[in-house]
Amino acid sequence: MQKYAIVQHIARFFWPWRGAKRQPPTPVRQLVRLWLFALAFGAGLTALGWDDDFGGSHLMALMLLFHIVDDITDGVPHRWLAALAAVAVLWSTSRLTSAVLPGSLDDAWAQSVAAAAGVTLGLAVNATITRLPERRPHRPLEGHDSGFGGQASR
């Protein structure tokens, strides 16, 4: 039975098991802490000059990605849509911001500012989508004529 344990864990990552309740989205206070920590950590690494290959801008994006994976494993509502939208917004905002920034900034700081803008908007998009109400299928009550099919009620 142990050889199937990994398959079960991988399947739970993509599809929650039967009867599993969806977890509520991450509280806003915790999201603000994550956002501030990511920005401070990335700026601190950039200020220290640790931006050779894997600098503060990449670590800020990684913190957002870890949060997204955590939401996926928790099974929050709309987790896959939120993950896709957050990564798309992170990437596009970072690219657009780095293209717009003036050339007077140091390259490491320009990347850090662009990543900060991407992480900020990506986290906001992820938080917004995971808080959307879930769509539940409408089931008519038993014995209630819905008006479709045979005779319509008047």
Side-chain angles (χ1 to χ4, degrees), residues 2-56:
Q2 290 294 345
K3 68 180 182 179
Y4 296 110
I6 283 196
V7 173
Q8 289 175 348
H9 287 294
I10 291 172
R12 283 184 186 165
F13 181 76
F14 291 104
W15 304 280
W17 58 95
R18 290 182 191 253
K21 288 187 173 185
R22 295 208 184 258
Q23 298 294 323
T26 308
V28 175
R29 181 174 283 179
Q30 190 175 351
L31 288 175
V32 169
R33 278 190 223 139
L34 171 71
W35 174 66
L36 291 174
F37 179 74
L39 294 184
F41 191 70
L45 288 180
T46 302
L48 290 173
W50 291 356
D51 55 355
D52 297 337
D53 293 326
F54 201 74

Side-chain angles (χ1 to χ4, degrees), residues 73-121:
T73 56
D74 283 347
V76 299
H78 310 294
R79 62 189 184 276
W80 288 107
L81 176 63
L84 181 64
V87 170
V89 167
L90 166 72
W91 181 79
S92 60
T93 303
S94 297
R95 295 289 177 182
L96 280 170
T97 306
S98 64
V100 170
L101 285 174
S104 62
L105 280 175
D106 183 32
D107 187 42
W109 280 107
Q111 286 181 355
S112 186
V113 168
V119 165
T120 301
L121 290 179

